[in-house]
Amino acid sequence: MTAIKDYIKENDEKLDLFTTAITRAHGKNHPEAFDVREIYTDIQNKTEESEHPNLDTEFSKLRKVTNDYTIPDDVCETYAAVYTMLSEADKTYQL
């Protein structure tokens, strides 16, 4: 298994729950949360379907929509955790 598949598998339950939670809690003030959720879902699907998924597009979109994983000042710890975990996933994928 590749490092990114391992990372996603290990953190999938939390990321799946958290990316949904931030859309509910912060979607009104941070519409990018919906994009983050959608992109994460794409990453989930690709890592399940392929042994060596090509996630260049997904991580490029995440970097753009999150301003390189910059955590907004007015969000909760869950939102911050999503950005931190996705940044770690991105770094893992780039290796």
Side-chain angles (χ1 to χ4, degrees), residues 1-2 4-6 42-55 93:
M1 215 183 277
T2 62
I4 189 60
K5 283 182 66 95
D6 288 342
D42 292 343
I43 290 171
Q44 280 180 307
N45 293 336
K46 281 189 170 185
T47 56
E48 289 173 8
E49 294 168 3
S50 174
E51 186 61 35
H52 299 284
N54 181 337
L55 303 171
Y93 178 70

Side-chain angles (χ1 to χ4, degrees), residues 2 16 18 28 61 89 91:
T2 62
D16 191 48
F18 285 7
K28 184 177 178 183
K61 287 179 184 176
K91 288 175 188 164

Side-chain angles (χ1 to χ4, degrees), residues 18-55:
F18 285 7
T19 56
T20 300
I22 67 170
T23 63
R24 293 184 185 136
H26 297 283
K28 184 177 178 183
N29 294 326
H30 292 281
E32 71 277 4
F34 293 101
D35 294 329
V36 169
R37 171 66 189 158
E38 183 178 330
I39 297 165
Y40 178 67
T41 301
D42 292 343
I43 290 171
Q44 280 180 307
N45 293 336
K46 281 189 170 185
T47 56
E48 289 173 8
E49 294 168 3
S50 174
E51 186 61 35
H52 299 284
N54 181 337
L55 303 171

Side-chain angles (χ1 to χ4, degrees), residues 19 32-33 35-40 43 55-70 82-83 85-87 89-90:
T19 56
E32 71 277 4
D35 294 329
V36 169
R37 171 66 189 158
E38 183 178 330
I39 297 165
Y40 178 67
I43 290 171
L55 303 171
D56 292 342
T57 300
E58 288 74 17
F59 283 117
S60 177
K61 287 179 184 176
L62 275 175
R63 286 189 295 275
K64 184 176 180 181
V65 84
T66 64
N67 193 23
D68 288 320
Y69 307 104
T70 302
V82 166
Y83 277 30
M85 286 187 284
L86 290 174
S87 175
D90 192 348

